[in-house]
């Protein structure tokens, strides 16, 4: 049977009534003649075209391509009207059954095709005008459907992750059916709902009801969150991926679709993560007493696992929240403990880099920086205060400094800027500076001696750049010491010895080093220029002297260095030594020559740094012995006698007792024994007897015999320290007088601060020493105390 819609719908290819084109009759009311036909001369000659032409002439906008609306009168009542209403009722009922079938899970009773539902919706809404009734019916059916789904979820026996699987299946079915209804009931959405802005669309109507009924109730939400907790706890405990993890990924998708992801999943998951890892942290640290390194590795592993799980299952915004929650829960209350232990247990930059990243993620970098500074300072203090290993001090400091620098460069790097964290860099400098203060003067002394060893040994196969790096590393330590004058004094003495004994590896390196020290560290290092000038002048004088004496004279092998005492750091010798007559004669001749050229100059001979080459004949063959001048004087005595007692040697040489003992010890007790003594021993005693060792052997033709330097160095260091302390008193006195002369009067506190500031480029004085110097200047009447305010000093002109 043909329905109403079919009757009133023309095919797309039909021209319907417009296919009939009648003629137009032109009637002239003023004429009595019969009407006459007007022939079709153009496109507007038919009635429809003529009408459109007239409308156009009157200014009407005519849509030539639009649909033609036909209104049939007389259908509202009577038999035809009743038939139509009945047809509409049947159409509505059929549509209702179809909607009910579509919203009933597992139903296959759809009595028509999808096209039939679509067509029926158009008829009910657009033709019958029953959009409101259809909308209310749909709303009721959606409510029933959602209630049925909720009851099904509440009554099921499934638990945990399996229940989540059923929930996901329910959400997927409902969302699919709603999408299908949206497609089939398009005319309801477009022709009715769109004209009523207060009404929600089919999608919003269904999803709002689903959200209100499913996600607002305690029971379903509780089962959801319990299932989530069961899943993630299993994965964390077992360290494996749960077989039903795909359910969780789908669950997240559905929760996001219904705008409840944050409230139901994300917030609960973050809270559960915090609770879980807080308990785990307590168990590891407080109960199992795990080491910091083990705990750090565990934290890294756990955070990586959480991050990977979150990326696989959750939305992008949750990944950072979960990782942050895990780290903070693990580190809560553990930052101080971790920071203290991590530097003791983690020696590699890889572990420290991981520690830095973890501390950064919980805003714990200030704690880590503070402990890093304390660790560096403590380590430096331990090295500096270890007097038993003073000779190794600088090497140990350099090794630790290298570790600290590499840690700073590789581990303590900001992820955003890719630059070293400046707080850690400043902390490193401050820690080394404070660590050096644990033992005054000694670090500066040892740094100077270390540089001396480098300059003596030279490159030894390394490149210029590598050797320069070694020197720069040592000077980097020099920046941390306040005792600049100590370094300068010891370096000055070592430089003088290297130059006089020709032990320096390279004069070019020496001059470059002095230039660097002068320009970058201390302007007073310019004294090295005067030292090189003295040596150059001395060589010129020696060449002239050698040209004036006979070619066969023993003085042709003489080398004398004339030095200006003000530029060289050697004290005046209080006791000399008796040289062999031949040596003394050559020196006397040179003295006469020198005074002829430089009248008024006085020469003071210092033989402590002199050297000589002695030819010795042993059973194995002759050898050239390179020895100090003191060693040569002792050896030449054995040309007269083969055995000589210690007391007799002392009388012959008139050498200082301690100097003689060290000299004999180097000849008879060291590795190269060209002399022997009775009784055998390492020390030289008053009753010892020494004799020549003809059995001495050495594979080299030229043998260098070192002097015993251990005790000499200790005594020399003591003398140098005393000299430094004396110079410091003069520095302080001069600074105090200069300040008071400029200021006229100052309080004690002001004068103390001004004095420290004035001499800090040389050394940092102790407050007690400053007070002593002020009191001394008061006694010497350079200053006086105010009669009313004893804390006020006044300069005395």
């Amino acid at each position: 049977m043909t329905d109403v819609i079919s009757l009133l719908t023309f095919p797309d290819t039909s021209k319907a009534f417009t296919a009939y084109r009648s003629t137009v009759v032109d009637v002239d009311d003023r004429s009595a003649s019969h009407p006459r036909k007007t022939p079709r001369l153009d496109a507007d000659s038919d009635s429809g075209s003529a009408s459109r032409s007239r409308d156009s002439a009157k200014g009407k906008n005519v849509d030539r391509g639009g649909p033609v609306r036909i209104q049939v009168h007389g259908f509202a009542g009577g038999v035809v009207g009743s038939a139509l209403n009945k047809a509409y009722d049947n159409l509505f009922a059929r549509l209702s059954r179809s909607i009910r079938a579509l919203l009933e899970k597992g139903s296959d009773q759809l009595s028509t095709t999808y096209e039939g539902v679509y067509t029926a919706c158009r008829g009910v809404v657009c033709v019958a005008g029953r959009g409101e009734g259809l909308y209310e019916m749909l709303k009721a059916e959606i409510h029933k459907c959602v209630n049925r789904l909720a009851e099904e979820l509440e009554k099921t026996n499934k638990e945990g992750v399996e229940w989540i699987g059923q929930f996901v299946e329910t959400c997927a079915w409902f969302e699919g059916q709603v999408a299908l209804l949206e497609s089939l009931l398009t005319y309801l959405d477009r022709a009715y709902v769109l004209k009523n802005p207060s009404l929600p669309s089919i999608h919003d109507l269904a999803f709002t009801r689903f959200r209100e009924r499913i996600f607002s109730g305690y029971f379903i939400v509780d089962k959801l969150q319990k299932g989530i907790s069961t899943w993630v706890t299993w994965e964390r405990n077992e360290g494996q991926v749960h077989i039903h993890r795909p359910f969780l990924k789908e669950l997240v998708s559905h929760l996001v679709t219904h705008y409840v992801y944050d409230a139901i999943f994300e917030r609960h998951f973050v809270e559960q993560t915090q609770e879980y890892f807080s308990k785990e942290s307590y168990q590891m640290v407080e109960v199992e007493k795990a080491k910091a390194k083990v705990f750090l590795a565990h934290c890294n592993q756990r955070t990586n696992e959480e991050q990977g799980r979150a990326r696989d299952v959750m939305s992008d915004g949750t990944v950072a929240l979960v990782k942050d929650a895990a780290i903070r829960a693990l580190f809560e209350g553990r930052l101080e403990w971790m920071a203290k232990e991590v530097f003791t247990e983690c020696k590699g930059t890889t572990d420290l880099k991981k520690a830095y990243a973890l501390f950064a993620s919980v805003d714990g970098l200030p704690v880590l920086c503070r402990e890093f500074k304390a660790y560096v300072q403590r380590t430096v203090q331990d090295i500096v205060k270890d007097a038993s290993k003073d000779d190794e001090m600088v090497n140990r400091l350099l090794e630790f400094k290298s570790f600290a620098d590499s840690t700073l460069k590789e581990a303590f790097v900001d992820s955003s800027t890719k630059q070293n964290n400046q707080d850690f860099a400043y902390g490193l400098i401050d820690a080394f500076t404070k660590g050096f203060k644990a033992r005054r003067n000694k670090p500066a002394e040892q740094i100077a001696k270390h540089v001396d060893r480098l300059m003596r040994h030279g490159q030894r196969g390394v490149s210029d750049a590598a050797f320069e790096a070694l020197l720069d590393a040592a000077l980097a330590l020099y920046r941390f010491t306040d005792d600049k004058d100590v370094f300068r004094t010891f370096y000055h003495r070592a430089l003088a010895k290297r130059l006089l004994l020709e032990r320096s590896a390279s004069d070019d390196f020496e001059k470059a080093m002095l230039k660097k020290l002068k320009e970058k560290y201390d302007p007073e290092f310019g004294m090295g220029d005067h030292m090189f000038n003295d040596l150059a002048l001395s060589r010129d004088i020696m060449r002239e002297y050698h040209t004036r004496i006979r070619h066969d004279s023993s003085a042709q092998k003489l080398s004398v260095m004339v030095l200006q005492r003000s530029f060289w750091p050697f004290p005046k010798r209080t006791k000399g030594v008796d040289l062999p007559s031949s040596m003394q004669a050559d020196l006397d001749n040179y003295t006469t020559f020198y005074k002829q050229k430089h009248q008024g100059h006085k020469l003071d001979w210092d033989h402590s740094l002199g050297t000589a080459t002695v030819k010795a004949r042993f059973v194995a063959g002759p050898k050239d012995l390179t020895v100090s001048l003191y060693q040569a004087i002792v050896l030449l005595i054995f040309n007269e006698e083969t055995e000589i007692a210690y007391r007799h040697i002392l009388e012959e040489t008139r050498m200082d007792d301690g100097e003689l003992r060290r000299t004999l010890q180097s000849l008879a007790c060291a590795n190269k024994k060209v002399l022997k003594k009775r009784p055998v021993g390492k020390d030289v005693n008053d009753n010892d007897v020494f004799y020549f060792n003809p059995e001495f052997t050495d594979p080299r033709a030229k043998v260098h015999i070192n002097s015993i330097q251990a005790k000499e160095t200790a005594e020399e260091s003591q003398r140098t320290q005393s000299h430094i302390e004396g110079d410091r008193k003069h520095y302080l006195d001069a600074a105090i007088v200069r300040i008071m002369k400029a200021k006229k009067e100052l309080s004690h506190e002001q004068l103390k601060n001004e004095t420290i500031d004035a001499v800090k480029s040389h050394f940092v004085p102790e407050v007690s020493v400053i007070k002593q110097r002020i009191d001394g200047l008061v006694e010497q009447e350079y200053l006086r105390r105010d009669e009313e305010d004893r804390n006020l000093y006044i300069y005395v002109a």
Side-chain angles (χ1 to χ4, degrees):
M1 176 179 173
T2 305
D3 57 20
V4 176
I5 300 302
S6 301
L7 288 172
L8 298 180
T9 302
F10 298 112
D12 293 339
T13 57
S14 172
K15 296 182 180 179
F17 297 110
T18 59
Y20 173 74
R21 305 176 65 87
S22 62
T23 59
V24 178
V25 179
D26 186 11
V27 179
D28 188 357
D29 293 338
R30 294 173 297 177
S31 175
S33 59
H34 294 287
R36 54 190 177 84
K37 292 182 179 180
T38 302
R40 297 177 181 176
L41 302 176
D42 51 35
D44 291 335
S45 59
D46 63 275
S47 59
S49 299
S51 175
R52 288 193 295 272
S53 298
R54 288 193 298 271
D55 289 341
S56 178
K58 293 177 181 180
K60 296 181 180 179
N61 186 15
V62 180
D63 184 6
R64 299 186 180 186
V68 178
R69 181 179 179 83
I70 301 174
Q71 185 173 3
V72 183
H73 296 280
F75 271 36
V79 178
V80 176
S82 298
L84 281 175
N85 287 332
K86 186 175 180 181
Y88 293 154
D89 290 340
N90 293 335
L91 196 63
F92 189 91
R94 187 170 61 180
L95 188 58
S96 297
R97 288 193 301 272
S98 299
I99 292 174
R100 190 175 301 111
L102 289 171
L103 288 176
E104 186 170 347
K105 194 175 181 182
S107 174
D108 54 355
Q109 299 177 358
L110 189 62
S111 58
T112 184
T113 62
Y114 289 158
E115 184 180 1
V117 176
Y118 178 84
T119 304
C121 177
R122 184 177 62 174
V124 170
V125 175
C126 299
V127 178
R130 296 188 181 185
E132 181 180 0
L134 179 61
Y135 185 84
E136 293 299 325
M137 182 272 295
L138 175 64
K139 183 177 179 180
E141 292 300 330
I142 289 175
H143 279 232
K144 293 177 184 178
C145 172
V146 172
N147 288 337
R148 286 194 301 271
L149 295 177
E151 291 175 3
E152 181 182 342
L153 290 172
E154 292 169 355
K155 292 179 181 179
T156 183
N157 294 326
K158 294 182 179 179
E159 296 290 339
V161 185
E162 277 116 9
W163 186 88
I164 289 180
Q166 181 177 344
F167 180 84
V168 166
E169 181 186 352
T170 299
C171 289
W173 177 84
F174 180 77
E175 292 165 12
Q177 296 306 105
V178 170
L180 181 58
L181 285 175
E182 283 185 88
S183 176
L184 297 179
L185 305 181
T186 300
Y187 276 93
L188 180 63
D189 252 346
R190 302 292 178 84
Y192 175 72
V193 175
L194 200 60
K195 293 179 180 179
N196 296 273
S198 61
L199 297 178
S201 66
I202 297 173
H203 175 277
D204 293 346
L205 175 68
F207 276 50
T208 300
R209 178 54 189 164
F210 190 84
R211 184 164 55 250
E212 290 173 352
R213 178 63 180 88
I214 300 296
F215 296 115
S216 298
Y218 170 79
F219 183 84
I220 292 178
V221 172
D222 182 62
K223 293 202 75 170
L224 266 177
Q225 293 179 343
K226 285 182 178 178
I228 294 168
S229 298
T230 301
W231 158 69
V232 73
T233 301
W234 187 92
E235 285 202 355
R236 286 168 178 163
N237 292 340
E238 299 298 326
Q240 301 177 17
V241 175
H242 197 286
I243 190 174
H244 293 314
R245 179 186 279 193
F247 289 165
L248 277 297
K249 297 173 70 173
E250 295 178 31
L251 172 64
V252 168
S253 176
H254 293 306
L255 295 179
V256 169
T257 300
H258 292 281
Y259 305 105
V260 293
Y261 171 75
D262 294 348
I264 294 178
F265 190 103
E266 184 179 81
R267 193 177 305 158
H268 169 73
F269 192 88
V270 170
E271 291 174 356
Q272 200 276 343
T273 299
Q274 291 173 336
E275 180 182 356
Y276 180 89
F277 285 113
S278 293
K279 292 179 180 178
E280 185 173 84
S281 175
Y282 178 84
Q283 178 68 24
M284 284 196 69
V285 178
E286 303 297 338
V287 179
E288 300 175 7
K289 305 295 181 183
K291 295 290 185 181
K293 186 175 181 179
V294 175
F295 184 69
L296 176 64
H298 177 78
C299 291
N300 272 297
Q301 178 185 348
R302 280 305 207 182
T303 52
N304 290 335
E305 288 175 359
E306 291 302 308
Q307 188 175 27
R309 183 182 298 111
R311 282 177 176 170
D312 186 45
V313 174
M314 302 162 213
S315 63
D316 294 339
T318 310
V319 177
L321 293 176
V322 171
K323 183 180 179 181
D324 183 68
I327 296 174
R328 291 184 182 277
L330 287 167
F331 271 68
E332 185 179 6
R334 316 287 178 209
L335 286 179
E336 296 287 347
W337 169 74
M338 275 289 293
K340 289 179 180 179
E341 298 294 328
V342 72
F343 293 109
T344 304
E345 298 181 17
C346 301
K347 298 301 182 182
T349 55
T350 302
D351 291 335
L352 291 176
K353 185 175 183 179
K354 294 177 181 178
Y356 180 88
L358 288 174
F359 273 80
S361 62
V362 295
D363 303 322
L365 287 183
V367 177
L368 186 66
C369 182
R370 184 174 65 249
E371 291 302 326
F372 173 68
K373 180 179 174 181
Y375 165 72
V376 172
Q377 182 176 334
R378 187 168 57 250
T379 304
V380 172
Q381 286 177 345
D382 292 343
I383 295 174
V384 167
K385 292 165 66 175
D386 190 357
S388 63
K389 296 181 179 179
D390 276 349
D391 292 340
E392 304 173 20
M393 179 192 296
V394 177
N395 285 328
R396 293 170 67 191
L397 286 172
L398 287 172
E399 182 180 355
F400 180 69
K401 180 66 164 48
S402 176
F403 163 74
D405 287 341
S406 62
T407 300
L408 188 66
K409 185 182 298 183
E410 298 174 17
F412 301 152
V413 179
D414 289 335
S415 58
S416 57
T417 63
K418 304 300 180 183
Q419 299 293 324
N420 296 340
N421 189 310
Q422 291 303 306
D423 292 336
F424 284 79
Y426 295 142
L428 176 63
I429 295 172
D430 193 37
F432 261 87
T433 302
K434 291 181 178 179
F436 272 42
K437 292 179 180 178
R439 191 178 179 192
R440 293 180 58 83
N441 300 345
K442 201 64 179 180
E445 175 188 340
Q446 292 299 325
I447 294 169
K449 291 179 177 179
H450 178 80
V451 175
D452 174 53
R453 287 191 291 270
L454 290 176
M455 299 303 288
R456 285 174 180 267
H457 295 162
Q459 295 176 254
R460 292 197 173 183
V462 300
S463 64
D464 289 353
F467 185 64
E468 190 78 15
L470 293 175
L471 294 175
D472 288 342
L475 293 181
L477 295 179
Y478 168 65
R479 291 186 182 275
F480 300 130
T481 179
D482 292 331
D483 305 311
K484 302 292 192 294
D485 55 339
V486 175
F487 175 86
R488 185 171 59 248
T489 301
F490 276 94
Y491 186 84
H492 194 186
R493 292 179 62 85
L495 173 63
K497 288 184 178 181
R498 291 197 301 273
L499 295 179
L500 290 177
L501 299 177
E502 297 182 347
R503 298 287 176 80
S504 178
S506 168
D507 284 352
D508 291 337
F509 270 121
E510 293 285 6
K511 292 177 181 179
M513 186 67 168
L514 284 172
K515 182 180 179 182
K516 180 183 294 185
L517 288 169
K518 180 180 178 181
E519 293 177 352
K520 295 184 178 180
Y521 298 92
D522 191 344
E524 295 195 19
F525 275 101
M527 79 293 192
D529 297 335
H530 300 290
M531 297 169 73
F532 278 101
N533 290 338
D534 284 352
L535 295 178
L537 290 173
S538 297
R539 294 188 186 101
D540 291 341
I541 294 173
M542 284 308 304
R543 281 193 292 269
E544 183 180 353
Y545 176 69
H546 287 153
T547 60
R548 295 194 179 188
I549 61 176
R550 298 192 314 271
H551 293 293
D552 57 350
S553 172
S554 60
Q556 287 288 348
K557 297 180 180 180
L558 176 65
S559 177
V560 178
M561 295 296 173
V562 181
L563 314 175
Q564 298 181 66
R565 189 176 297 280
S566 59
F567 299 139
W568 295 79
F570 301 124
K572 185 176 180 179
R573 284 279 172 174
T574 57
K575 186 174 183 179
V577 63
D578 287 348
L579 297 176
S581 57
S582 60
M583 286 188 182
Q584 190 62 51
D586 288 339
L587 293 187
D588 292 340
N589 292 333
Y590 178 83
T591 302
T592 302
F593 164 77
Y594 184 83
K595 288 187 175 181
Q596 289 174 353
K597 288 182 65 65
H598 303 280
Q599 296 180 1
H601 287 201
K602 181 182 178 181
L603 293 180
D604 289 327
W605 294 95
D606 186 349
H607 302 307
S608 61
L609 295 177
T611 59
T613 300
V614 179
K615 290 186 178 293
R617 295 179 180 84
F618 301 99
V619 174
K623 302 287 183 183
D624 289 343
L625 305 180
T626 303
V627 293
S628 70
L629 189 56
Y630 286 165
Q631 289 172 325
I633 293 170
V634 171
L635 288 174
L636 290 176
I637 297 176
F638 286 88
N639 283 334
E640 306 296 332
E641 300 180 44
T642 56
E643 290 190 6
I644 309 176
Y646 171 77
R647 295 182 184 278
H648 181 66
I649 298 174
L650 185 62
E651 292 173 1
E652 284 286 326
T653 60
R654 292 200 304 170
M655 197 181 299
D656 178 77
D657 182 73
E659 196 76 60
L660 179 59
R661 290 180 189 275
R662 285 192 294 272
T663 302
L664 288 170
Q665 199 174 14
S666 67
L667 295 172
C669 304
N671 292 331
K672 298 173 182 178
K673 298 181 179 65
V674 294
L675 299 180
K676 287 189 175 182
K677 81 180 189 74
R678 291 193 302 268
V680 177
K682 292 183 178 180
D683 296 324
V684 175
N685 300 313
D686 293 345
N687 298 323
D688 288 348
V689 176
F690 295 86
Y691 59 93
F692 180 66
N693 177 21
E695 304 299 328
F696 173 79
T697 59
D698 193 278
R700 289 165 293 189
K702 293 183 179 181
V703 181
H704 177 75
I705 300 178
N706 292 320
S707 303
I708 297 297
Q709 294 292 329
K711 294 182 180 179
E712 181 183 11
T713 302
E715 293 175 3
E716 183 182 14
S717 296
Q718 186 60 42
R719 289 197 301 270
T720 305
Q721 293 288 359
S722 300
H723 174 71
I724 291 170
E725 292 301 328
D727 285 347
R728 285 182 172 181
K729 293 177 182 179
H730 296 314
Y731 269 124
L732 288 173
D733 289 349
I736 293 169
V737 171
R738 186 168 59 252
I739 292 166
M740 290 303 298
K741 186 175 182 180
K743 303 290 185 179
K744 303 306 179 186
E745 62 178 45
L746 285 173
S747 68
H748 178 80
E749 189 68 21
Q750 289 174 328
L751 181 56
K752 180 194 72 175
N753 294 333
E754 292 272 0
T755 303
I756 292 175
D757 190 60
V759 302
K760 66 182 181 182
S761 61
H762 301 285
F763 65 99
V764 177
E766 296 179 358
V767 176
S768 60
V769 176
I770 296 176
K771 186 177 184 304
Q772 291 175 4
R773 301 320 304 162
I774 294 174
D775 293 341
L777 291 172
V778 170
E779 291 178 4
Q780 298 174 44
E781 299 183 352
Y782 285 96
L783 311 175
R784 68 178 178 85
R785 296 180 186 271
D786 186 75
E787 294 180 0
E788 296 181 359
D789 185 0
R790 305 298 292 174
N791 197 39
L792 183 66
Y793 297 103
I794 300 173
Y795 176 70
V796 179

